Amino acid sequence: MTGELAAPHPVLGAVVVLGVLLVGTAIVTTADAVVADRVARRGLDLRASLVRPWRRIALSLVRPQPATERPDWGLWVLAPAAYVGMAAMAVSVLPLGTDWAVADVRTGIVVLGSAEVLAMVAVYLHGWAPNSPLSLVGAYRFVAAGLSFLLLSMFVLIAAALPAESMSLGRIVASQQEGAWNVLRQPLGLPLFLVVALSVSLHGPLDMADGTDLATGTVAESSGPARLAWEFGRRAMLTAYALATAVVFLAGPAGPVLPGWAWLAVKTVAVAVVLVWCGHRLGRIGIQRYVRIAWTVLLPLSFLHLAISGVAALA
Amino acid sequence: MSLWLLPVWLLLVGPVLGMVGHRAAPGRRRLVLGAGGATALAVAGVGSVAATLATSTATYPVGAGLVLRVAAGPVAGPVAVLVAAIATVVTMYAARHEGQHEDGAGLARLVGLLVAFAGAMLLVVLADDLLTLTVGWELVGALSWALIGHEWRDADAPGAAAHAYNATRFGGLGLVLAAGAAFAATGSLGYDTLGGVDGVALHVMVAGVLLAAVSKSALVPFSPWLFSAMAGPTSVSALLHSSTMVAAGAYALIRLQPVLDTASWFGPVAIAIGLVTALAGGVVGLLQGHAKKLLAASTSAQYGLMVVAVGAGAPGVAVLHLVAHAVFKAQLFLSAGVAITAVGSHDLARMRLRGVLPWTARLTLVATLALAAVPPLGAAFTKEQVLAAGTHAATWVGLLVAVAGGLSAAYATRFQLLAFGGARPDRPSPRPLVRGPARVELVAMGVLAAASITLGLLWVPAVHEAVMAGLGATPPEARSWELPVSLALVATGAYVVWSLDRRGRLGHVPAGASQQAVADWFALPRLVRGVVVAPTLHLATALATVDDRIVDAGVDAAAGLGERLSRVASGAGEVTVDAVVRGVARTGTVLADASVRVGERGVERTVDGVAWLAGRAGDDVRRTQTGLVHQQYIVIAVGLVVVLAAAIFGR
Amino acid sequence: MTIVTVLLASAVLLGLGTWGVLSQQSFVMIMMGFELAINGVMLAAAGVWRFTSGGEPRGQVLVIVAMLVMAVEAAIGFALVVAVYRARQQDTTEGIAELSR
Amino acid sequence: MTGLAVDIAFWTFAVAAAWFGWRVFRTDSMVRATFCLLASFLNVGAIMVLLLAEYLGVAMFFMMSVEMVVMAIFMVAFMMNPAGLNPMEMVHQPRAAIAVGIGAAVGLGVVAVVADLPPAALLDEAGTIRALGNELMGASMLLMEVVGVTLVATMVGAVVLSSASGRYGSADTGSVPPLLDPDDPDSRPDLVSADGEGDAHAGHGGHGGHGGHG
């Protein structure tokens, strides 16, 4: 069932995945605060930037959760769990060191795609469950966006699988070590995949579900620990997709001198900072424009990308 | 692999032209489309020449043991070049000529379709197995529908397109049948393996191919669809009639002749169909008053001659005639288009345009002489070869071919005189000129006229021997009487028409109803409507009526009958039982009386019960006709179980 | 996990789907029933491929064809639901009974 | 995984698939019904992974999730009471349906038990995905081409059937807005006349009313 990379014991693997998500979330949170202050040129007090988010988290823990009129409690609880779970599923198929992954399955890229789709389900449920109009608008908006970026993501991932002649992410890394990194070999792929990463992790200009224009959309009725859980999910998803970007386009753990996991961490943090920076620096985009651009520009581009990659892989 | 590029290139460029062509500025649109389409086709033509010289082949396995093949063989290669060449000229003409009313808005679609159509025809020509042939065949058919229905805002164009499509599509089923028979017999569809087909499969295959070819080439009894196809733009007709679509039928027969000939009945049947079409088409052409329909009738007639040649075992001769015919028929349609545009009408009676369109008239004369088969034009040579091949089969066949040649000379003369004759004092002068021919249109006609003249080289023995050898055929031996007889008939036909015209008695419009019917393919369309279309519709209506009235009524009647029966039966029961009662009563036993009363009640109850049951059953059967999907699903589910059970346990 | 248990599971799913198709009034719910039934079919095909085919890949292809059927069913089904609703404002099978006698 | 673990996993997934499949038609909330169906699919996908049809299983996750999200949107659009806030029973012929459903399940179950299916295990357990890929791009190419054409036809057909306007005008021509009160035939807003020409003065509200359900 598994590919070539070694796998730890399942329990250990679960711990590792959770650890990656927690550490990643901490880094993303910190980076988010620092970048926000830099972009706003707010005092440039690094210490304040580092402390503020954690104080907000601590405050959140004691804030109560208001009840809406007859919400669907089951789904409301399920949604953040499912969303985090999908981030975990994505991380588990990615190689985390030079020669190991939690589960280097042969269908790695399809699992990544499935994680995206099920994340879309989770976001929809999160918007649906509270029985609140703004949340529901956010949910529907995300479905419209999701149906648009899913194909994009699959084409980019399939293109990456072509030179590796395998859908396993371990093989994709290995093929980049043998040849060139995909960021050079398939230059169109990285920007397209960053669009996917921003969209699926509800960040920055492509945050269709939780935008502040909807009084923060699907989290409009969430507060306290529930809100915290959802925010954790978003950052975990960002971590997972930054990791995936590093693996698919930057050859993941490959690099001289340092051990593989360290290279992977460096590349992931770099991608995450770029994503966070995009979130603060670029303007929001309306859903109609997003869908139009996705179908008329990005999707044809991804076709082109796939065709070029296919021809290049054959040559 | 590269040979696939020829058809695929055109099939790809066509849609692209169609989609982006209308973006060109209106002033430059005609230039862009004409140049683009003609260049694409010319490229395909050059490619065809190269492929023919290299006799290249290509295959494409589609799985399940099926392989698509194309080959530019000795026959396919030259015909492919012909298709590309004619299409190039016609597309040039079309980009200038068509779409006058809509200011070229739909022109991009037309040119795109023309290019793609030529690509589909190349697929038919180059096909080296029945599956590729079928694919190309259906593509040609579908695209011809779009082309004929191009001016879909006209009331009759969509219907005419559907008529043409349905007629040829029906014949196309024959090709599918043939492919199925060949595959069942040999497990392969390649032309090279068809020789192994025998027995019933052979007859099915030959009949299927013949049906397909007869329908596509508009031979009797499928000829009328070609009249419907006249609803399309003139350039479409020019392409359709010369080297594509209609040619596909004759071409398929030519390519498959060695196989088809193994069925002993193929030759006689093909000759019969060909001769009937050639003669009937000649008569129709003599009476038609519609400029394009006259030419359409002549198309059928000429393809009839080609089929005669194939039936007589001389496919090489048929190829030559196909080429010669393609060149002059394309030009004739282009001329007709110019004439029709000039007077704004299809009516031959309103033309006589020599004074107004002198150059068009001169160029057309070349084509009409070719149609009339006047030496030294190449078309005359090929017709003589057909005649020789026919004589080879039987003398009377040759004679009838000569008669058909006389007829074609007659209607060719008639076309030339009516369309491009000089004005006559006793005839209404031509209507004011709507538009004269543009330079591109004249060049297109000129190129084709030059080609017709060049084909005259075929009369040189060295040339035609080399050509026939190149086609892998031997010229049939001509008898000494053939040429004089044939030329005499040609001269007679032309003279009769000419002298009629001199006396002002050339019937440009059929006078009586019977003549009109003959001009309309001997009322064949009406016959088809009466014998095929109407009965089908009637049958459908009748079946619906049966369902409504009889099935329903049957149920009603069953219920009613049951009731009535029960009444009669109970009445009868009463009578008989009463008689018994009386008889028994005479014996005077109380016991019997009592027992009979019991029996009476029993019989009555039984009869009533049966009647009630019949009525209820009738009602209940009707109740299943609820029209409600979910209840029918249950029936389906139960039916599926029954079918599955039968499949499992019935073995 | 044997061929029999897999087929039993698929039979249950197919039965549930059939029940849903037959008992639901709404077109959309009926489509869900069909999908559940096809779900069972796919499971059965996968099981038969796994245990009795010796690795013949066409067994897997059959599952993909079943997915195609499901996709076509969903797309055309939704289109029909929209068309019927637009024309009639009906979304249950009781609403269209033109074929009744 | 050992045989026992596989067995436990299989039974868990199988029971879950069936239970969720049953809940689809027994829950009042349409969104829950949809995602119960999705859960059933996901469990069947997991069973496929256990059956070593790994690609098919994961593809099930992917495809069915997309389809069920779309399904959920339609459920919310077309069903009254999408959130299940009121108890609802939109069924007909319930007993017959149960009988046929049980009949189908039992019948097929009997077939599964009594049928003599000769076992032939996978020859190459590691190469199932590669074998599938080679089959799809090789011997079954024709089939996949047919699949592709079918899907294109489906797209065209779905758009044609559901689009609101065509070459010859609006598809709404001749349609009528729903009753505001299902029992009152006079409650139809802006009745559109039979020949398709709406009332020019009051025609706007009628089209706006299409989205709602009586």
Side-chain angles (χ1 to χ4, degrees):
Chain A
M1 186 178 298
T2 52
E4 296 155 13
L5 302 189
H9 188 271
V11 177
L12 183 61
V15 173
V16 167
V17 168
L18 197 61
V20 166
L21 291 183
L22 284 171
V23 171
T25 301
I27 294 173
V28 170
T29 307
T30 313
D32 191 62
V34 173
V35 171
D37 286 351
R38 293 277 142 161
V39 168
R41 306 203 174 282
R42 200 186 293 146
L44 297 182
D45 181 354
L46 191 62
R47 192 157 161 270
S49 304
L50 288 177
V51 169
R52 191 158 8 90
W54 303 106
R55 184 180 297 150
R56 285 210 337 233
I57 288 172
L59 280 173
S60 278
L61 280 173
V62 296
R63 211 173 273 152
Q65 164 71 47
T68 56
E69 185 186 354
R70 299 193 66 184
D72 193 331
W73 282 113
L75 296 182
W76 208 352
V77 173
L78 177 70
Y83 195 57
V84 174
M86 288 311 111
M89 182 159 111
V91 169
S92 65
V93 297
L94 294 165
L96 298 176
T98 19
D99 54 357
W100 69 281
V102 174
D104 178 30
V105 293
R106 291 177 300 180
T107 49
I109 60 167
V110 192
V111 173
L112 270 187
S114 307
E116 262 162 48
V117 188
L118 287 165
M120 178 167 77
V121 173
V123 174
Y124 178 78
L125 292 182
H126 192 243
W128 165 265
N131 193 15
S132 146
L134 289 175
S135 306
L136 191 60
V137 172
Y140 272 104
R141 254 180 20 179
F142 188 71
V143 170
L147 293 178
S148 314
F149 72 67
L150 276 175
L151 291 173
L152 192 68
S153 147
M154 274 330 280
F155 286 134
V156 170
L157 288 175
I158 291 170
L162 287 178
E165 297 180 6
S166 165
M167 296 185 287
S168 146
L169 289 150
R171 276 296 309 157
I172 289 178
V173 170
S175 89
Q176 295 182 72
Q177 282 169 311
E178 289 154 15
W181 288 10
N182 276 344
V183 66
L184 301 175
R185 202 156 54 174
Q186 306 181 340
L188 263 176
L190 181 60
L192 289 175
F193 199 69
L194 288 182
V195 170
V196 174
L198 279 175
S199 301
V200 74
S201 61
L202 312 179
H203 268 77
L206 305 181
D207 176 7
M208 291 301 150
D210 294 352
T212 43
D213 57 335
L214 287 176
T216 56
T218 69
V219 286
E221 305 291 346
S222 300
S223 169
R227 175 84 175 255
L228 206 59
W230 186 251
E231 295 299 330
F232 169 60
R234 287 178 61 201
R235 292 192 172 129
M237 193 60 85
L238 190 77
T239 308
Y241 272 82
L243 200 61
T245 311
V247 165
V248 174
F249 292 99
L250 305 174
V257 186
L258 291 177
W261 61 266
W263 271 115
L264 185 60
V266 169
K267 291 169 184 172
T268 305
V269 170
V271 174
V273 169
V274 168
L275 288 174
V276 166
W277 183 85
C278 287
H280 285 285
R281 201 61 204 163
L282 302 182
R284 283 186 50 78
I285 177 170
I287 180 68
Q288 281 98 339
R289 266 184 85 200
Y290 178 95
V291 170
R292 177 175 291 257
I293 291 174
W295 285 96
T296 58
V297 179
L298 300 183
L299 197 60
L301 266 184
S302 72
F303 278 137
L304 188 68
H305 170 64
L306 187 56
I308 294 173
S309 308
V311 171
L314 279 180
Chain B
M1 217 56 203
S2 55
L3 191 56
W4 288 111
L5 289 177
L6 279 180
V8 170
W9 154 252
L10 292 180
L11 284 169
L12 289 179
V13 170
V16 169
L17 270 179
M19 279 185 284
V20 305
H22 67 275
R23 303 218 169 163
R28 295 175 54 227
R29 194 175 290 154
R30 291 179 186 283
L31 185 66
V32 169
L33 284 171
T39 311
L41 286 160
V43 166
V46 172
S48 304
V49 172
T52 309
L53 294 179
T55 56
S56 54
T57 61
T59 59
Y60 178 71
V62 287
L66 292 177
V67 181
L68 298 179
R69 303 157 195 254
V70 284
V75 175
V79 176
V81 175
L82 172 82
V83 170
I86 300 269
T88 310
V89 176
V90 170
T91 304
M92 266 164 53
Y93 171 92
R96 184 66 193 87
H97 180 81
E98 303 296 348
Q100 300 297 339
H101 308 300
E102 38 188 317
D103 197 26
L107 197 62
R109 178 159 48 96
L110 180 69
V111 171
L113 282 172
L114 281 175
V115 171
F117 186 63
M121 186 62 197
L122 277 186
L123 198 59
V124 168
V125 171
L126 296 173
D128 203 28
D129 69 307
L130 284 177
L131 186 57
T132 314
L133 180 70
T134 310
V135 171
W137 198 270
E138 296 295 337
L139 274 175
V140 165
L143 288 169
S144 75
W145 171 82
L147 283 169
I148 295 170
H150 174 71
E151 281 158 13
W152 54 273
R153 288 181 182 82
D154 287 357
D156 55 346
H163 177 200
Y165 181 66
N166 283 333
T168 56
R169 188 69 233 281
F170 173 73
L173 293 179
L175 205 54
V176 176
L177 199 66
F183 191 74
T186 64
S188 159
L189 291 169
Y191 287 172
D192 49 352
T193 59
L194 292 185
V197 184
D198 54 6
V200 178
L202 176 71
H203 295 299
V204 171
M205 184 180 80
V206 173
V209 171
L210 191 62
L211 174 67
V214 166
S215 72
K216 207 74 154 182
S217 278
L219 305 180
V220 171
F222 289 94
S223 307
W225 77 256
L226 210 47
F227 276 16
S228 289
M230 291 302 116
T234 310
S235 47
V236 171
S237 305
L239 196 56
L240 220 68
H241 285 237
S242 59
S243 57
T244 61
M245 184 78 180
V246 185
Y251 177 79
L253 291 183
I254 292 167
R255 266 316 291 278
L256 296 172
Q257 191 267 345
V259 181
L260 300 177
D261 213 31
T262 51
S264 56
W265 53 269
F266 168 74
V269 170
I271 290 177
I273 293 177
L275 276 180
V276 168
T277 311
L279 295 172
V283 175
V284 172
L286 274 177
L287 293 174
Q288 254 303 328
H290 183 297
K292 282 166 72 180
K293 285 186 178 173
L294 187 157
L295 296 176
S298 95
T299 303
S300 287
Q302 298 292 326
Y303 280 99
L305 291 182
M306 288 173 220
V307 173
V308 169
V310 174
V317 169
V319 175
L320 280 187
H321 196 56
L322 187 122
V323 172
H325 170 259
V327 173
F328 71 69
K329 188 50 67 68
Q331 195 204 338
L332 280 175
F333 268 104
L334 301 190
S335 304
V338 170
I340 289 167
T341 310
V343 298
S345 161
H346 295 292
D347 197 349
L348 279 171
R350 300 190 182 169
M351 291 183 178
R352 291 189 176 270
L353 294 163
R354 188 170 70 200
V356 201
L357 302 171
W359 273 105
T360 312
R362 277 168 216 155
L363 289 171
T364 309
L365 186 60
V366 175
T368 29
L369 288 177
L371 176 60
V374 175
L377 291 168
F381 175 78
T382 58
K383 198 208 81 184
E384 297 308 329
Q385 294 286 82
V386 172
L387 174 55
T391 315
H392 200 67
T395 309
W396 60 269
V397 173
L399 281 175
L400 286 178
V401 169
V403 171
L407 284 174
S408 74
Y411 61 68
T413 313
R414 181 165 172 270
F415 176 78
Q416 181 73 19
L417 288 176
L418 286 178
F420 295 103
R424 291 177 57 92
D426 56 331
R427 288 276 158 228
S429 56
R431 284 163 31 130
L433 195 62
V434 177
R435 186 178 74 85
R439 197 176 302 145
V440 178
E441 294 169 60
L442 280 176
V443 166
M445 287 186 275
V447 167
L448 290 171
S452 271
I453 293 170
T454 313
L455 281 177
L457 285 174
L458 282 174
W459 284 99
V460 179
V463 173
H464 74 244
E465 273 158 24
V467 168
M468 288 300 269
L471 291 172
T474 47
E477 274 180 45
R479 316 246 166 108
S480 53
W481 58 265
E482 286 170 0
L483 191 60
V485 168
S486 156
L487 286 182
L489 280 166
V490 166
T492 312
Y495 173 74
V496 167
V497 171
W498 182 74
S499 62
L500 279 175
D501 185 51
R502 259 175 68 93
R503 286 180 227 139
R505 286 175 52 198
L506 185 53
H508 35 70
V509 179
S514 60
Q515 266 176 310
Q516 180 67 54
V518 170
D520 221 8
W521 271 108
F522 298 90
L524 198 55
R526 226 183 298 157
L527 189 71
V528 169
R529 216 169 293 136
V531 177
V532 182
V533 179
T536 312
L537 291 176
H538 278 306
L539 184 64
T541 320
L543 283 178
T545 316
V546 165
D547 191 39
D548 282 355
R549 300 239 179 94
I550 302 182
V551 175
D552 249 17
V555 174
D556 275 342
L561 192 67
E563 245 168 75
R564 220 170 300 151
L565 272 180
S566 82
R567 236 174 278 137
V568 171
S570 74
E574 265 164 37
V575 170
T576 48
V577 172
D578 275 5
V580 173
V581 170
R582 254 176 255 123
V584 173
R586 275 194 205 106
T587 65
T589 57
V590 178
L591 189 66
D593 190 35
S595 80
V596 162
R597 221 171 286 143
V598 172
E600 179 185 17
R601 215 175 300 146
V603 170
E604 254 179 38
R605 285 233 181 108
T606 312
V607 171
D608 281 353
V610 167
W612 179 85
L613 205 63
R616 292 295 303 169
D619 272 354
D620 283 344
V621 167
R622 275 156 60 93
R623 275 200 349 201
T624 59
Q625 289 178 301
T626 57
L628 291 177
V629 180
H630 57 276
Q631 290 168 355
Q632 283 156 12
Y633 277 156
I634 286 201
V635 178
I636 292 171
V638 173
L640 266 179
V641 169
V642 171
V643 169
L644 280 178
I648 292 173
F649 300 111
R651 277 185 304 166
Chain C
M1 185 171 66
T2 64
I3 177 71
V4 174
T5 55
V6 171
L7 286 182
L8 282 178
S10 81
V12 170
L13 287 174
L14 197 132
L16 282 167
T18 310
W19 164 62
V21 169
L22 294 180
S23 68
Q24 294 295 316
Q25 288 184 306
S26 160
F27 291 131
V28 191
M29 288 300 283
I30 289 175
M31 284 168 61
M32 309 241 298
F34 276 124
E35 307 232 327
L36 196 58
I38 299 177
N39 194 19
V41 172
M42 290 196 292
L43 182 57
V48 170
W49 164 78
R50 166 71 177 80
F51 292 109
T52 69
S53 76
E56 166 61 59
R58 270 180 290 179
Q60 296 195 67
V61 174
L62 182 61
V63 179
I64 289 185
V65 171
M67 283 190 196
L68 163 87
V69 171
M70 207 186 260
V72 172
E73 176 256 330
I76 296 295
F78 284 138
L80 285 176
V81 171
V82 170
V84 168
Y85 187 78
R86 182 177 283 128
R88 303 279 177 75
Q89 281 74 46
Q90 293 293 349
D91 63 352
T92 62
T93 58
E94 274 83 355
I96 46 167
E98 271 67 34
L99 286 178
S100 74
R101 73 200 131 81
Chain D
M1 272 196 275
T2 62
L4 181 65
V6 169
D7 273 349
I8 292 172
F10 168 73
W11 283 111
T12 313
F13 292 141
V15 170
W19 188 79
F20 279 119
W22 175 63
R23 291 305 301 165
V24 169
F25 303 109
R26 297 305 305 161
T27 178
D28 287 337
S29 162
M30 293 302 111
V31 168
R32 281 192 171 212
T34 313
F35 290 109
C36 280
L37 185 58
L38 175 58
S40 182
F41 280 128
L42 295 183
N43 280 295
V44 168
I47 295 177
M48 285 189 184
V49 173
L50 291 182
L51 289 170
L52 302 179
E54 195 183 334
Y55 176 77
L56 297 180
V58 182
M60 282 276 278
F61 291 178
F62 186 85
M63 288 194 49
M64 294 309 138
S65 308
V66 179
E67 195 179 329
M68 286 307 119
V69 170
V70 177
M71 183 74 91
I73 290 172
F74 274 87
M75 290 289 270
V76 174
F78 278 103
M79 302 292 283
M80 60 274 282
N81 189 25
L85 298 181
N86 306 306
M88 187 189 68
E89 185 84 355
M90 271 188 72
V91 294
H92 45 219
Q93 51 183 17
R95 269 178 303 229
I98 290 174
V100 175
I102 291 179
V106 170
L108 288 172
V110 168
V111 171
V113 171
V114 302
D116 180 24
L117 294 164
L122 300 185
L123 299 177
D124 176 16
E125 299 198 348
T128 55
I129 296 180
R130 190 165 289 277
L132 174 61
N134 285 332
E135 175 73 20
L136 288 182
M137 293 298 131
S140 293
M141 194 67 211
L142 189 61
L143 179 75
M144 291 316 281
E145 282 163 5
V146 172
V147 166
V149 172
T150 308
L151 286 175
V152 170
T154 303
M155 288 187 224
V156 174
V159 171
V160 167
L161 280 174
S162 57
S163 70
S165 65
R167 188 182 238 177
Y168 300 108
S170 167
D172 289 349
T173 304
S175 70
V176 284
L179 296 175
L180 293 178
D181 175 0
D183 301 323
D184 176 12
D186 295 331
S187 67
R188 195 181 301 284
D190 305 349
L191 203 62
V192 180
S193 62
D195 59 357
E197 295 292 323
D199 181 356
H201 300 292
H204 305 296
H207 290 284
H210 282 192
H213 187 279

